[in-house]
Amino acid sequence: MSARTAIVTGGGSGIGAALVRALVAEGAHVVVADVDLPAAEALVAGLTGPGTAVARAVDVTSAAAVQDAVDAVVAAHGRLDLMFNNAGITFLGNTEDLTLDQWNAIIDVNVRGVVHGVHAAYPQMIRQRAGHIVNTASMGGLMAAGLMTSYVTTKHAVVGMSLALRTEAAAHGVGVTAVCPAAVDTPILDKGEIGRFKGRDFYLEGQGIKEPVDPDLLARRVLAAVAANRPIVIEPRQARIAWRIGRLAPGLVNRMATRFVAQQRAGVLDPPTA
Ligand SMILES: NC(=O)c1ccc[n+]([C@@H]2O[C@H](COP(=O)([O-])OP(=O)(O)OC[C@H]3O[C@@H](n4cnc5c(N)ncnc54)[C@H](O)[C@@H]3O)[C@@H](O)[C@H]2O)c1
């Protein structure tokens, strides 16, 4: 079989970069699609094969840019096997402090960005009667954690979209997988902080996780899930346990989350002493 072709949005950093490394290691041709072109280029420069990778400036909030990336892969290779809709942003803080521009930005990247990837790649995969769409959601797409309400809103949309589309896509020979990790060791843990919240501490404490997940380990698990055509990937194990408890006892988990929000506010929202 010829090498697989793939697009990874947000491929220049973190989970996306790990997916690129794993795909290139298995011999795939990969487009590293990122709004941060220098980051994508730096990643590509450090890859050694056996697959190939090219960096491409793609802002997933632009449907045309995502469509162009898909069209370019199909023009060059005749097919697109794997579409990773992975680019994402986050905000951490009290919802009343979020501007409407921030709400719109997170919806544009995390929801519309995935919609654009599905809209561009899915018809091509239907024509091929093969392919797999992988949408990076989050544990925030399965459970509702406060102080990241905008993020949770978008990631629930991505989980719902992925699981619903999967039931349509099966008849076309196309797979869909939602990736739902808890804290992964990437730069996003320190981004989007509003006020005095500290992302890395918040994400680890909130999910009772001592060490964030290694992105390269996650990427290998994701490719294994694609090979097995699994609907959902949850990492690490504590997150899978938390998800199961949440399904059995949603009221309990909601009370625990409410208490955690109060603790976080008490810890970080005291007036600065200086
Ligand atoms: N790291 C975690 O703890 C964690 C947990 C669950 C889910 N996720 C999700 O994983 C995905 C990847 O996040 P990460 O942790 O690797 O973060 P990251 O910040 O390291 O990487 C995100 C990448 O997306 C790119 N990007 C942002 N906006 C874009 C846009 N408009 N168009 C194209 N690219 C854009 C950034 O330039 C960056 O390279 C996100 O969807 C995130 O929500 C992360």
Side-chain angles (χ1 to χ4, degrees), residues 156-212:
H156 271 63
V158 172
V159 170
M161 188 199 314
S162 306
L163 296 181
L165 180 63
R166 180 181 166 87
T167 66
E168 290 183 43
H172 299 294
V174 177
V176 182
T177 297
V179 179
C180 297
V184 185
D185 197 1
T186 77
I188 209 172
L189 296 183
D190 303 307
K191 294 179 185 171
E193 294 161 341
I194 296 173
R196 294 169 52 227
F197 290 96
K198 282 286 154 264
R200 195 165 285 265
D201 299 342
F202 175 88
Y203 296 122
L204 294 178
E205 279 173 32
Q207 298 174 99
I209 291 169
K210 290 197 184 76
E211 290 290 326

Side-chain angles (χ1 to χ4, degrees), residues 9-17 33-37 39-40 57-62 66 85-90 105 108-110 113-114 135-140 151 154-155 179-189 191 203 207 212-213 215 218:
T9 71
S13 174
I15 296 170
D34 205 297
V35 73
D36 184 348
L37 183 60
V58 176
D59 182 341
V60 296
T61 67
S62 161
V66 178
N85 296 307
N86 168 78
I89 62 172
T90 188
D108 278 346
V109 177
N110 292 11
V114 179
N135 296 329
T136 308
S138 166
M139 267 305 276
Y151 185 77
T154 62
K155 294 302 186 178
V179 179
C180 297
V184 185
D185 197 1
T186 77
I188 209 172
L189 296 183
K191 294 179 185 171
Y203 296 122
Q207 298 174 99
V213 177
L218 177 65

Side-chain angles (χ1 to χ4, degrees), residues 147 194-198 262-272:
L147 301 176
I194 296 173
R196 294 169 52 227
F197 290 96
K198 282 286 154 264
Q263 285 165 351
Q264 286 289 315
R265 284 181 170 149
V268 302
L269 292 181
D270 298 342

